[in-house]
Amino acid sequence: MREFLLFVAIFLVGFVASDGWTNNSGMAAPRRIHTLFSVECQNYFDWQTVGLMHSFKKSKQPGPITRLLSCTDEEKKKYRGMHLAPTFEVPSMSRHPKTGDWYPAINKPAGVVHWLKHSKEAENVDWVVILDADMIIRGPIIPWELGAEKGRPVAAYYGYLVGCDNILAKLHTKHPELCDKVGGLLAMHIDDLRVFAPMWLSKTEEVREDRDHWATNITGDIYGKGWISEMYGYSFGAAEVGLRHKINENLMIYPGYIPRPDIEPILLHYGLPFSVGNWSFSKLNHHEDGIVYDCNRLFPEPPYPREIQQMESDSNKKRGLLINIECINLLNEGLLWQHKRNGCPKPQWSKYLSFLKSKTFTDLTKPKYPTPASLVMKEDCVQKQPVKVDHVQKQPVKVDRVQKQPVKVDRVQKQPVKVDRVQKQPVKEDLVQKQPVLDELQEPYPKIHTLFSTECTTYFDWQTVGLMHSFRLSGQPGNITRLLSCTDEDLKKYKGHNLAPTHYVPSMSRHPLTGDWYPAINKPAAVLHWLNHVNTDAEYIVILDADMIMRGSITPWEFKAARGRPVSTPYDYLIGCDNVLAKLHTSHPEACDKVGGVIIMHIDDLRKFSMLWLHKTEEVRADRAHYATNITGDIYQSGWISEMYGYSFGAAELQLRHIRSSEILLYPGYAPDPGVHYRVFHYGLEFKVGNWSFDKANWRETDLVNRCWAQFPAPPDPSTLDQSDKDGFARDLLSIECIRTLNEALYLHHKKRNCSDPNLLANPNLDDESEVGVSRKIGKLDESYTGKEDHLSTDSSQESSQAAKEDGIFGSLRLWIIALWVISGLVFLVVIISKFSGRKAKGVRGKHHRIKRRTASYSGFVDRNGQEKYVRDLDASL
C-alpha cells in the first residue's frame, strides 16, 4: 500500500510539474522573468528609481528587478541611494576608458554585459525585460503574452531612427535589411541576450566614433552630436546577429500623447514634457533635484480626475489626460512611501495626500492589462515599408540623459526618410505624397543661436530668469546668450552675472555723441557688438526680447527662413512704413515690413544688416519733427519706438523682405486663433483675468531676483473662470500660463540660490493673505510675494482704494470686537466680586455640611449616569 501511495504521489508531482512548465503549444517554456534598468549615481536617477520601483510593485510585475548602477569610485563615496532598489553595481563607462569620450548612455549596454557575465541572478533567468529609469509600469509585462519568442524579441517602435534606411546601416551592419527601428521597451529571451549584448556594446562604440555620419539627415538626431549612438548600437547589433523584432507601438506611450481607441498602454515613458491645462511637468526641471531625500516634499500636484472630466469632452483625449496625471501621481505616491522608509515624520494632512490614499486612486491605479488591439504588431515595419509620418508623430525621440533636451517630434517629422533602394515593392501614392525621398547629400539642419538684450537692472533680471527657464523647457536647439549692456558703474554693483550665458556690451543708453537717453538703442548696438567680438558657427540667429516666455522651439526650417528671407512677427502698428517716415529714412520704402518681436535671420544677412539697424535707429530717433502719432503710431509721440523703425528701415535698405508669421508670438490678454500653438508669450502689455491683472511696468523697481521667495501675485485658479465664452476662456488660460511660468522660474531660481525654507521664515503674525501658498494648477510652489510695496505697485488705483476701504471697515470692526471683550471682562469681574462678597457675609457653615456639599458636587464625575449627564450638559453649553 505504501509503495502504491508513493507511486501516485510521484505521478501527481510529475503531472503538475509538466503542466506548469508547458505553454499552450505544448513546447517546454520556462517562465522565469527578470527586469533590468540602468542608472547612474545621481539624484536625477534616484527619484526616477523610486517611481519605477513603486510602479513595479504596484503593477504586480512577476519576477525580480535589478538596478544596474554605474558609478565612479568618487561618485560612490558621496552616493546616498544604495537602499532604493535591488542593485548590481557596474563600473562606469561614462568616460570611455580607451577613447576618453564622455557618453553616459553607453552605460546601458555595458551594464547589461557586466550583469550577464558576473551576476549569479543571470544564471536563473529565462526572459529579460529591459526598461529605462524614466518609466512607470502600469501592468505586468509578460514577454510570451506580448508575443515574444526565442529569436523574436518584442520592442517598442522608435520611428525616428532613419539611419536604418540609409548609409549608416550599410556602414555598421552586414545586414542593413534586418535593422529594426526599436527601443524603450525590450522583452527578450536570455539566450538571445547573451549572444546580442556584447554586439550591442560594440556597435554603440562603433557608431559613437563615426563622427563623419552624425549629421541629422543620416541619424535623425537634430543636434548632430551622436547622442543616440546607443540606440543605433542596439538596432545594428540585433541586425548583426539576425534578431528580428516583433514591433509594437501600442504598449508604451509618452504622457502628453493621446492613446489610440481600444488601446491600453502598460508602460509610461515620461521622457518629454507634458501638461494638463496650465499644470505641466518636465523631468529636465528636476535634474539636480534631491526630492528623494527631502522629507515629505513631492512633485507639484496635478489636477484631480474630476477636473479633467470637466476639462475635456472628447473621451479619448480625456483618457490621455488621465494617463498624464496617473504618471505624476504614481511618482508622488512612490515618494511618499520612500520618505516613510527613510524615517521621515508623518506628513501633514492635505487634500492631495488624502486623494493619494483614497479608494478612488487605488481603483484608478490597479494593474492594467493589454487589450487585444494593444498586442497588434507593426507588420509594415517588419516588411521594411517606408515609414509613415503619422507613425513618427506618435513616437517622440527620447530625452538623452547627457544632452538634457528632448529631440522634438516636429523636427523629426520634417526630416523625410529615404526609401530603401533595394526594396522591390511598389511605393503607394499616398506615401510618396507624405514622405518624399531623401537625397543622401541633403544638408543637416543648420545650427541656431538665440540672443536677447538686457541691462544691469533687477527689472531685466526677473525677465531673464523667466526667459531662461522657458528656453530650457522649450527644446530650442543651440545655445542662448544674454547681451548685457551696462555702464562701468552699474557693473560694479550688479549681482546678476550668473543668470544666463552673458556677453557684456558697453551701454549706449546715454548716447556717447548726442547725450540722448534712449535705452532701447542697446538692442541693435549689442547685436552688432556680439557679431564683431564673438566667433560663432551658428547659421541662423533667433533674436528675442527679454520680456518673453518661450513655449516651444523657434527654428528656421519650420518657419521657412532662408538666406535673404528672414522671418518675423507682424507689428502692424508701425504705420510709418506707409507714409512719409519711410520715404525719409529708406531708399526702398516699398520694402518696409511692419515686423518685430521675434526675428529669425541668417547670420550672413545679420552681419550686413546690423550696422544699418543701429544707424537707422539713431536716424529715426534724431528726427523729432516726425514723432507725431499719425506718422509713427506712437501714442506717446516721444520716439520710443525708434528702434523698431530702425529695424524695418534698415532691412528695407538692404531689401530684406520678411516672411511674416502670426503663429509665433502672442500677447497675453489677446484671444488666440483656434488650433495655433504659439511659441512665444510677449508680456509687454498689461493683461487681466477677471479682477486680477499684471503689468510688467509695475515691477520696474522691485527686486524679485535677490529677495528670497519673491514672486508675482498668483492669478486666479482656472476652475473659477467662466467657460461659457470659449475664446475668453482660452485667452485667460494662456494669460495664467504666462504668469505661472514666471513664478515657476522664480521659485526654481530661489531654490537654486539655497534660500531658506519659506515655511520657516513665515511670520505667525501675518494675515492669511501673506502666508505661503501652493498653486496646484501650475504644478509649482507659488510663494506669493505679498510685500506691501509690491501690492501697491501691482493693484490698479480702483482695486487699491477698494482694498483700503475694506481694510478700514475691517479695522473698525476689530476695534468694536476688542471693546466688547473688554466690557465683558469687566462685567465678569464685577459678578465674581459680588458673589464672593455675598458668600463671605453668610459666615462659616458646619464642617459636616461642607463635606456633604463637596461630595455632592463631585458625584457627577463618579457616577456613570451623572457623568453622561455632565457631558451632555457640557456639550449643550458649548
Side-chain angles (χ1 to χ4, degrees):
M1 185 65 179
R2 180 185 299 175
E3 289 79 9
F4 175 75
L5 292 175
L6 182 61
F7 172 79
V8 171
I10 294 173
F11 174 80
L12 289 174
V13 169
F15 177 79
V16 172
S18 64
D19 184 64
W21 291 99
T22 305
N23 61 14
N24 293 335
S25 63
M27 299 175 62
R31 302 295 176 102
R32 297 172 295 177
I33 305 173
H34 201 108
T35 304
L36 300 176
F37 68 104
S38 173
V39 300
E40 298 155 37
C41 284
Q42 299 174 11
N43 288 339
Y44 179 56
F45 286 105
D46 284 356
W47 62 257
Q48 295 178 38
T49 296
V50 168
L52 181 59
M53 287 302 301
H54 179 63
S55 68
F56 174 86
K57 298 168 187 172
K58 195 158 186 170
S59 66
K60 303 189 185 303
Q61 171 70 5
I65 186 170
T66 296
R67 172 179 63 163
L68 305 178
L69 183 63
S70 302
C71 301
T72 64
D73 292 338
E74 286 301 311
E75 289 173 333
K76 190 177 175 184
K77 291 177 183 177
K78 301 178 290 184
Y79 185 58
R80 299 181 286 177
M82 292 303 296
H83 62 294
L84 298 179
T87 300
F88 185 77
E89 295 181 42
V90 178
S92 175
M93 276 189 66
S94 296
R95 179 75 66 188
H96 198 282
K98 295 182 179 178
T99 66
D101 178 43
W102 177 259
Y103 184 57
I106 201 172
N107 286 313
K108 186 174 180 180
V112 172
V113 170
H114 194 83
W115 179 78
L116 288 169
K117 187 175 181 180
H118 298 284
S119 173
K120 295 291 184 183
E121 290 178 328
E123 299 174 1
N124 300 301
V125 178
D126 302 294
W127 293 94
V128 179
V129 175
I130 302 177
L131 305 175
D132 288 337
D134 57 345
M135 289 179 171
I136 293 293
I137 309 172
R138 303 180 76 221
I141 304 171
I142 302 175
W144 56 88
E145 291 186 0
L146 303 183
E149 305 173 61
K150 189 172 181 179
R152 292 297 303 276
V154 167
Y157 180 52
Y158 272 10
Y160 56 84
L161 297 178
V162 297
C164 276
D165 298 320
N166 60 36
I167 191 173
L168 195 67
K170 296 174 183 176
L171 287 170
H172 294 289
T173 174
K174 299 173 186 176
H175 305 288
E177 72 282 357
L178 301 183
C179 183
D180 291 326
K181 301 172 185 176
V182 294
L185 164 63
L186 305 170
M188 183 179 292
H189 195 277
I190 188 68
D191 294 343
D192 296 331
L193 188 61
R194 290 189 187 281
V195 173
F196 155 72
M199 192 64 69
W200 181 7
L201 175 59
S202 174
K203 290 296 178 182
T204 298
E205 294 173 309
E206 189 178 303
V207 177
R208 180 68 184 166
E209 292 172 9
D210 184 11
R211 297 174 181 269
D212 293 336
H213 295 91
W214 280 4
T216 304
N217 64 315
I218 295 176
T219 63
D221 176 6
I222 66 165
Y223 299 97
K225 298 293 185 181
W227 294 120
I228 57 177
S229 298
E230 175 271 318
M231 303 180 195
Y232 279 113
Y234 180 93
S235 293
F236 295 159
E240 199 71 1
V241 299
L243 275 181
R244 297 309 306 276
H245 293 79
K246 293 185 178 182
I247 304 174
N248 188 297
E249 56 182 341
N250 301 319
L251 296 171
M252 184 183 80
I253 192 171
Y254 283 76
Y257 282 71
I258 301 172
R260 297 173 180 174
D262 302 324
I263 298 298
E264 187 65 82
I266 59 173
L267 193 63
L268 306 181
H269 191 180
Y270 55 91
L272 297 175
F274 59 98
S275 61
V276 178
N278 293 295
W279 175 92
S280 63
F281 179 81
S282 173
K283 71 171 189 175
L284 300 181
N285 290 343
H286 303 276
H287 205 276
E288 307 297 332
D289 199 337
I291 193 169
V292 171
Y293 310 104
D294 290 354
C295 280
N296 300 324
R297 182 165 70 86
L298 306 178
F299 292 118
E301 60 185 87
Y304 293 99
R306 67 173 180 275
E307 293 174 304
I308 290 178
Q309 299 292 338
Q310 301 170 357
M311 188 183 303
E312 181 59 60
S313 57
D314 183 276
S315 60
N316 222 41
K317 291 181 180 178
K318 186 186 298 182
R319 198 157 61 96
L321 295 177
L322 290 171
I323 284 176
N324 294 353
I325 65 169
E326 178 185 335
C327 177
I328 197 69
N329 284 334
L330 283 170
L331 276 170
N332 277 339
E333 187 182 33
L335 286 169
L336 279 175
W337 283 105
Q338 188 58 52
H339 290 158
K340 184 177 181 180
R341 286 189 287 268
N342 290 351
C344 291
K346 186 177 180 180
Q348 293 182 351
W349 183 92
S350 71
K351 180 181 176 182
Y352 182 56
L353 291 183
S354 179
F355 168 71
L356 292 182
K357 296 176 181 179
S358 68
K359 184 178 184 301
T360 299
F361 181 67
T362 302
D363 292 340
L364 288 173
T365 54
K366 285 181 179 178
K368 308 296 189 298
Y369 299 91
T371 61
S374 303
L375 298 176
V376 175
M377 298 298 169
K378 186 176 170 57
E379 294 298 328
D380 56 339
C381 282
V382 178
Q383 296 170 9
K384 299 298 288 180
Q385 294 284 356
V387 179
K388 292 184 179 181
V389 174
D390 59 347
H391 287 159
V392 180
Q393 289 175 330
K394 293 185 175 69
Q395 182 59 58
V397 177
K398 82 166 185 178
V399 179
D400 184 86
R401 59 180 69 169
V402 180
Q403 183 180 353
K404 296 185 180 179
Q405 288 183 331
V407 183
K408 299 290 286 186
V409 177
D410 52 352
R411 296 177 203 146
V412 179
Q413 177 185 343
K414 296 182 182 298
Q415 179 63 51
V417 181
K418 183 175 79 69
V419 177
D420 194 340
R421 295 176 182 173
V422 181
Q423 179 180 311
K424 301 297 183 180
Q425 298 179 7
V427 180
K428 294 182 181 179
E429 184 177 351
D430 59 340
L431 288 180
V432 175
Q433 291 172 352
K434 292 183 180 178
Q435 192 65 52
V437 176
L438 173 67
D439 185 351
E440 286 185 8
L441 299 179
Q442 179 179 335
E443 292 294 324
Y445 286 136
K447 293 185 177 180
I448 304 172
H449 199 103
T450 303
L451 301 175
F452 68 103
S453 173
T454 70
E455 300 161 33
C456 280
T457 66
T458 56
Y459 177 59
F460 281 103
D461 283 355
W462 63 256
Q463 296 177 38
T464 296
V465 168
L467 179 57
M468 288 302 301
H469 172 63
S470 66
F471 174 86
R472 298 183 189 103
L473 294 179
S474 68
Q476 175 74 354
N479 297 319
I480 188 170
T481 297
R482 171 179 61 166
L483 307 178
L484 185 62
S485 302
C486 301
T487 64
D488 292 339
E489 286 301 313
D490 288 337
L491 208 54
K492 291 177 183 177
K493 301 177 290 183
Y494 185 61
K495 301 178 181 178
H497 298 282
N498 62 343
L499 298 179
T502 301
H503 175 75
Y504 294 89
V505 181
S507 174
M508 276 190 67
S509 296
R510 180 73 67 188
H511 198 283
L513 300 178
T514 67
D516 178 42
W517 178 258
Y518 184 56
I521 201 171
N522 284 314
K523 185 175 180 179
V527 171
L528 180 62
H529 191 276
W530 181 79
L531 288 169
N532 290 333
H533 291 83
V534 173
N535 293 321
T536 179
D537 59 351
E539 190 173 343
Y540 281 89
I541 306 299
V542 176
I543 302 176
L544 305 175
D545 288 338
D547 57 344
M548 290 181 173
I549 293 293
M550 297 186 69
R551 306 178 69 238
S553 58
I554 306 168
T555 60
W557 52 86
E558 184 172 3
F559 293 100
K560 312 301 181 187
R563 184 186 279 107
R565 287 288 280 170
V567 171
S568 191
T569 53
Y571 271 15
D572 290 328
Y573 57 84
L574 297 179
I575 58 176
C577 277
D578 301 323
N579 59 37
V580 66
L581 199 65
K583 295 175 182 177
L584 286 171
H585 294 291
T586 174
S587 54
H588 300 287
E590 75 285 351
C592 182
D593 293 326
K594 302 174 185 176
V595 293
V598 177
I599 300 161
I600 311 173
M601 186 176 288
H602 195 278
I603 187 72
D604 294 344
D605 296 331
L606 190 61
R607 291 188 190 281
K608 297 174 187 176
F609 159 72
S610 56
M611 181 65 78
L612 277 171
W613 183 7
L614 176 58
H615 284 172
K616 290 296 178 182
T617 298
E618 295 173 309
E619 189 179 303
V620 177
R621 179 68 181 167
D623 184 10
R624 296 177 181 273
H626 294 92
Y627 276 5
T629 303
N630 64 323
I631 295 176
T632 63
D634 178 5
I635 62 172
Y636 300 103
Q637 305 186 63
S638 54
W640 288 116
I641 58 176
S642 299
E643 175 272 319
M644 301 180 192
Y645 279 114
Y647 179 91
S648 292
F649 294 159
E653 203 68 9
L654 292 176
Q655 295 187 301
L656 273 178
R657 300 311 304 269
H658 292 75
I659 298 172
R660 294 187 359 142
S661 174
S662 59
E663 298 187 353
I664 299 177
L665 179 146
L666 179 73
Y667 282 85
Y670 282 64
D673 291 333
V676 177
H677 175 63
Y678 296 97
R679 306 306 170 86
V680 168
F681 285 139
H682 191 182
Y683 54 91
L685 302 175
E686 181 184 20
F687 57 97
K688 299 181 178 181
V689 180
N691 293 323
W692 176 94
S693 65
F694 178 82
D695 186 346
K696 71 169 187 175
N698 290 337
W699 300 86
R700 187 176 293 275
E701 306 299 330
T702 305
D703 189 352
L704 294 165
V705 172
N706 298 308
R707 182 170 179 176
C708 277
W709 307 116
Q711 291 194 335
F712 300 108
D717 191 295
S719 63
T720 65
L721 301 180
D722 178 15
Q723 300 186 25
S724 59
D725 178 4
K726 291 185 178 180
D727 291 341
F729 183 59
R731 174 200 64 214
D732 291 346
L733 286 179
L734 292 176
S735 297
I736 292 171
E737 178 187 337
C738 177
I739 197 67
R740 284 182 161 177
T741 303
L742 279 170
N743 274 341
E744 177 183 346
L746 286 168
Y747 168 74
L748 293 173
H749 166 73
H750 295 310
K751 182 179 176 184
K752 186 177 180 181
R753 289 178 62 220
N754 295 319
C755 285
S756 301
D757 187 339
N759 295 312
L760 299 179
L761 299 177
N763 187 342
N765 295 322
L766 293 178
D767 292 335
D768 291 341
E769 297 95 297
S770 63
E771 291 180 355
V772 175
V774 179
S775 173
R776 177 173 49 76
K777 284 294 185 180
I778 181 59
K780 298 293 174 188
L781 281 174
D782 182 15
E783 288 83 0
S784 300
Y785 178 54
T786 57
K788 185 176 180 181
E789 61 195 27
D790 299 318
H791 273 306
L792 293 174
S793 65
T794 52
D795 293 340
S796 65
S797 59
Q798 181 179 359
E799 291 166 343
S800 297
S801 62
Q802 180 66 24
K805 182 178 178 182
E806 291 172 357
D807 288 343
I809 294 172
F810 178 76
S812 300
L813 181 61
R814 182 167 53 187
L815 288 174
W816 277 105
I817 292 172
I818 293 172
L820 184 60
W821 273 100
V822 171
I823 293 170
S824 300
L826 291 173
V827 171
F828 177 76
L829 287 174
V830 170
V831 171
I832 292 298
I833 292 171
S834 62
K835 286 285 186 182
F836 181 79
S837 301
R839 288 185 62 186
K840 187 174 181 181
K842 290 181 180 180
V844 181
R845 297 190 178 183
K847 181 178 180 181
H848 174 74
H849 178 78
R850 287 200 304 270
I851 294 173
K852 182 179 180 181
R853 179 165 186 172
R854 186 180 305 144
T855 306
S857 66
Y858 285 110
S859 62
F861 293 95
V862 177
D863 180 70
R864 176 177 175 82
N865 295 327
Q867 181 179 4
E868 291 175 351
K869 182 178 186 300
Y870 176 83
V871 172
R872 286 197 298 271
D873 291 344
L874 182 62
D875 290 340
S877 66
L878 294 176

